[in-house]
């Protein structure tokens, strides 16, 4: 173990209120593609194009095909050693009367499936829907989410959109609403949930140690959380395969696959 890892582990052993920020890199070794990595294309589209209200308005069928594919992937993969180390670390600290909060940009639910309890999903969830008419939010794990999407979600570049009529896309079941459902995901240009953002902000202002795992730190407001923690002179450790936009702000940088580095830091 190198000296930096020893030093960060010492810090963690006295910490009482730990913030763990995660991005898609934490799920990469489970088989979930990252956004800006080589698996970031679905058909011929960048995920960052499809994750917009404009794309949903222009072609709700295409966007539902994309999200149905991702729901399918996320439901078939398993949490990895990094998710597990984070979940076990939370359990251990809670037993000692301390707090661990996981603020994730991920929508795949893998932290919770690994056993983490205190998870704030900044960008929503693949397994929740929101009605475009009445705003009702529901948990939905049924795959396919509606019969019309069955077998229509292949990621290959030569597959065309099925142009499913909106009446056959997922519809709101609450009372007699019947409105078009959308994934409960925060798309580009959309605001984050105020309550979740407030809780995350509180952790940014009060934590006494911070880990930032598997994120490129380019999407706001999440990108500014760890640099703001570091500004308070609180130790922040970044776990990534490479340097990021934010690396210069942090006291520690552990390069490598997070299943190895995070496990070493937390166990
Ligand atoms: C490993 C690894 C391994 C791989 N081990 N590591 C201020 C300034 C400028 C712009 C803005 C601003 N405030 C807001 C904006 C606009 C915009 C934004 O940030 N734009 C940027 C391009 C600058 N933000 C928004 O629109 C947000 N809304 C908002 O703030 O509203 C108010 C507002 C609006 C407009 C203007 C001003 C204010 C909403 C952002 C919602 C982001 N949504 C997405 C998609 C939806 C989710 C989904 O469909 O799944 O969320 S975008 C996408 O990026 C996704 C991710 O959660 C997010 C972050 O990506 P992440 O996780 O970091 O993935 P990658 O691929 O980028 O990085 C992976 C990393 O892992 C890499 O570093 C690898 O090296 C590493 N890695 N394997 C360790 N094994
Ligand atoms: Zn409704």
């Amino acid at each position: 173990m190198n000296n930096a890892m020893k030093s960060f582990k010492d810090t963690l052993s006295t910490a009482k209120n730990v913030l763990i920020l995660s991005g898609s890199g934490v799920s990469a070794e489970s088989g979930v593609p990252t956004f800006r990595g080589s698996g970031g294309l679905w058909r011929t589209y960048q995920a960052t194009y499809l994750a917009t209200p404009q794309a949903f308005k222009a072609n709700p069928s295409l966007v539902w095909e994309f999200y149905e594919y991702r729901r399918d992937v996320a439901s078939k993969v398993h949490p990895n050693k990094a998710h597990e180390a984070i979940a076990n670390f939370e359990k251990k600290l809670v037993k000692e009367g301390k707090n661990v909060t996981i603020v994730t940009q991920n929508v795949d639910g893998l932290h919770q499936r690994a056993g983490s309890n205190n998870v704030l999903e900044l960008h929503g969830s693949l397994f929740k829907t929101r009605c475009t008419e009445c705003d009702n939010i529901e948990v939905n794990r049924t795959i396919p989410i509606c019969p019309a999407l069955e077998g229509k979600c292949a990621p290959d570049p030569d597959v065309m959109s099925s142009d499913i009529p909106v009446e056959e896309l997922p519809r709101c079941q609450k009372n007699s609403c019947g409105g078009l459902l959308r994934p409960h995901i925060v798309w580009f240009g959309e605001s984050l949930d105020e309550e979740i953002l407030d809780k995350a902000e509180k952790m940014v202002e009060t934590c006494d140690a911070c880990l930032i795992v598997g994120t490129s730190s380019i999407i706001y407001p999440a990108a500014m959380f760890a640099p703001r923690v570091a500004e308070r002179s609180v130790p922040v450790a970044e776990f990534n395969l490479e340097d990021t936009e934010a690396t210069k702000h942090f006291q520690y940088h552990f390069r490598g696959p997070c299943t190895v580095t995070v496990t070493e830091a937390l166990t």
Side-chain angles (χ1 to χ4, degrees):
M1 188 183 303
N2 67 30
N3 286 342
M5 184 60 89
K6 272 192 204 126
S7 161
F8 184 61
K9 282 171 82 81
D10 281 349
T11 296
L12 280 181
S13 66
T14 56
K16 294 187 172 62
N17 189 24
V18 180
L19 171 58
I20 302 182
L21 296 159
S22 72
S24 58
V26 78
S27 298
E29 292 167 80
S30 290
V32 182
T34 60
F35 280 87
R36 293 159 190 90
S38 56
L41 274 190
W42 176 82
R43 297 184 184 164
T44 52
Y45 300 96
Q46 292 283 352
T48 45
Y49 162 74
L50 293 163
T52 62
Q54 292 79 5
F56 188 67
K57 193 160 182 244
N59 193 341
S61 176
L62 179 73
V63 173
W64 263 119
E65 290 165 46
F66 169 62
Y67 278 98
E68 187 60 20
Y69 170 71
R70 293 184 47 212
R71 284 159 56 87
D72 190 43
V73 170
S75 64
K76 284 180 176 146
V77 300
H78 300 285
N80 63 44
K81 287 198 161 72
H83 297 110
E84 283 163 11
I86 289 169
N88 292 337
F89 180 71
E90 179 191 347
K91 288 199 180 85
K92 177 172 162 266
L93 264 69
V94 166
K95 265 192 202 150
E96 295 167 2
K98 300 171 182 172
N99 175 66
V100 174
T101 302
I102 297 124
V103 174
T104 187
Q105 297 169 78
N106 299 346
V107 293
D108 55 29
L110 288 176
H111 282 300
Q112 294 90 330
R113 280 175 54 200
S116 287
N117 291 312
N118 193 12
V119 183
L120 298 176
E121 291 180 315
L122 275 185
H123 293 164
S125 167
L126 286 172
F127 301 103
K128 287 183 183 161
T129 58
R130 187 166 82 243
C131 177
T132 58
E133 300 284 337
C134 73
D135 280 339
N136 183 48
I137 297 165
E138 297 270 356
V139 172
N140 187 314
R141 299 185 178 278
T142 309
I143 293 176
I145 191 166
C146 65
L149 280 164
E150 171 108 63
K152 300 282 168 54
C153 306
D156 315 73
D158 51 345
V159 176
M160 304 290 284
S161 170
S162 298
D163 287 330
I164 298 165
V166 281
E167 308 78 57
E168 294 174 34
L169 289 173
R171 310 296 305 196
C172 181
Q173 306 291 321
K174 196 178 179 200
N175 305 328
S176 54
C177 175
L180 176 64
L181 297 180
R182 56 166 279 179
H184 184 50
I185 301 269
V186 183
W187 287 330
F188 279 109
E190 294 188 322
S191 301
L192 280 68
D193 180 288
E194 286 284 335
E195 210 175 301
I196 292 174
L197 197 52
D198 284 352
K199 286 182 184 165
E201 293 273 354
K202 193 166 165 251
M203 278 305 293
V204 167
E205 284 158 19
T206 61
C207 67
D208 53 8
C210 175
L211 292 81
I212 174 157
V213 186
T215 174
S216 55
S217 288
I218 60 171
I219 298 301
Y220 287 83
M224 67 189 184
F225 290 162
R228 278 179 45 206
V229 172
E231 246 173 51
R232 294 195 292 114
S233 303
V234 169
V236 178
E238 181 177 51
F239 299 79
N240 204 300
L241 295 178
E242 56 194 27
D243 281 2
T244 70
E245 296 283 319
T247 303
K248 58 182 178 289
H249 298 285
F250 307 139
Q251 188 175 346
Y252 300 98
H253 176 86
F254 299 113
R255 185 178 294 244
C258 60
T259 51
V260 175
T261 53
V262 169
T263 307
E264 189 174 13
L266 297 184
T267 52

